Amino acid sequence: MWDDQVGPLSERYQVIRYDRRGFGQSRTEHVSFSERSDAVAVLRHAQASASSCHLIGQSMGGIVALDLTIERPQMVDSLVLVAAGAGGYRAELPDGVQPPPFGEMERALEAKDWDRLAELETEVWVDGWGQPPTRIDPALRTRVHDWILTTYREENEEGDPQRLDPPANARLAEVRVPTLVLVGTADEPGGVLNGRHVAQVVQGAQLEEFDAAHMIQLEQPDRFNRVVLDFLAGVEGRHARDT
């Protein structure tokens, strides 16, 4: 998912990316674990040149990144949330706005109807819920659809991740690092509201909105890279002035 970012970011930073447990090439048994501790272990295993990092997370990865920032603030120099919100936040949709078919998706998951589930998830996360499938590049749509379908067909064990307690939404005031929130306006409505909520509550957070759905960095990689690099440059500039 980050192929279009590794090159531009690597020109200025050491870039570390990893598959969360149960996804991609990561495997786990059915054990309780902390996603935050996993992220810290990856950072240390990669022998990063510093004990802290600029942290970027998309979707569920963004929720993990926010949780880690709250739990271990000394490890995070800045935070970029991509189509992600705060755990524990429940958006109230305006009258007439229909949420995605999460119930149907859950039933397809229980029935192991992977083809149906992959198509539903593609409609929600790639097309943008309520948007036509022709809105985006058909090659991109096919690529992400196939990622989703392959993941479900492998039926990997995902373990039992232990969520932050209390959840992040009750602790947004604890986020003190420079924060950038990226929202796709064609994303599912609850996610849009959650991202805007985080940007409004976190002190000094910057909000950037894209004419995109959930996969912002895949839909608009050039603008995404420019916005993120400009943000990181600003963070480093402020740090230099402070020291």
Side-chain angles (χ1 to χ4, degrees):
M1 292 178 64
W2 299 101
D3 284 354
D4 291 328
Q5 282 67 55
V6 170
L9 289 174
S10 294
E11 293 178 5
R12 291 174 51 185
Y13 304 98
Q14 178 186 12
V15 177
I16 302 166
R17 55 177 173 164
Y18 72 101
D19 295 332
R20 292 170 46 236
R21 293 196 193 203
F23 296 89
Q25 298 181 50
S26 291
R27 299 291 181 265
T28 186
E29 297 177 354
H30 186 71
V31 294
S32 295
F33 70 97
S34 164
E35 299 234 41
R36 286 94 60 203
S37 295
D38 277 0
V40 172
V42 168
L43 181 66
R44 290 174 174 165
H45 178 75
Q47 298 180 336
S49 58
S51 59
S52 59
C53 65
H54 299 294
L55 193 58
I56 303 175
Q58 194 264 349
S59 193
M60 188 61 202
I63 293 176
V64 174
L66 177 58
D67 288 353
L68 174 59
T69 302
I70 292 170
E71 185 174 80
R72 307 195 194 199
Q74 73 281 3
M75 298 202 67
V76 182
D77 294 322
S78 71
L79 174 65
V80 179
L81 300 179
V82 186
Y89 178 75
R90 295 292 179 267
E92 293 188 12
L93 301 184
D95 291 341
V97 175
Q98 295 298 316
F102 292 128
E104 184 178 355
M105 293 161 73
E106 184 65 28
R107 290 189 292 273
L109 177 65
E110 292 174 355
K112 296 187 177 183
D113 186 350
W114 306 137
D115 291 303
R116 178 57 178 158
L117 182 55
E119 180 57 30
L120 285 169
E121 292 210 4
T122 302
E123 291 174 6
V124 173
W125 307 123
V126 186
D127 301 342
W129 181 237
Q131 303 290 324
T134 54
R135 187 189 65 81
I136 65 167
D137 179 356
L140 174 59
R141 188 183 198 276
T142 298
R143 179 156 51 108
V144 181
H145 172 276
D146 290 349
W147 288 345
I148 296 169
L149 183 58
T150 298
T151 296
Y152 279 121
R153 283 178 172 172
E154 289 180 350
E155 299 187 29
N156 292 330
E157 172 61 58
E158 296 182 24
D160 181 23
Q162 300 303 297
R163 305 303 182 194
L164 189 68
D165 186 23
N169 187 52
R171 304 173 62 179
L172 292 177
E174 298 178 34
V175 179
R176 296 295 185 180
V177 301
T179 300
L180 171 65
V181 181
L182 307 183
V183 169
T185 55
D187 202 351
E188 65 91 8
V192 172
L193 293 175
N194 199 340
R196 290 172 176 167
H197 166 74
V198 172
Q200 182 177 32
V201 176
V202 170
Q203 183 177 349
Q206 175 182 337
L207 174 66
E208 288 281 345
E209 298 197 352
F210 289 68
D211 181 17
H214 200 62
M215 306 297 181
I216 298 172
Q217 77 273 25
L218 293 172
E219 277 199 54
Q220 298 186 23
D222 292 339
R223 183 187 169 202
F224 178 96
N225 295 343
R226 184 172 64 253
V227 168
V228 170
L229 285 167
D230 286 349
F231 168 74
L232 295 178
V235 170
E236 293 182 342
R238 289 194 296 273
H239 178 72
R241 290 193 297 272
D242 291 343
T243 56

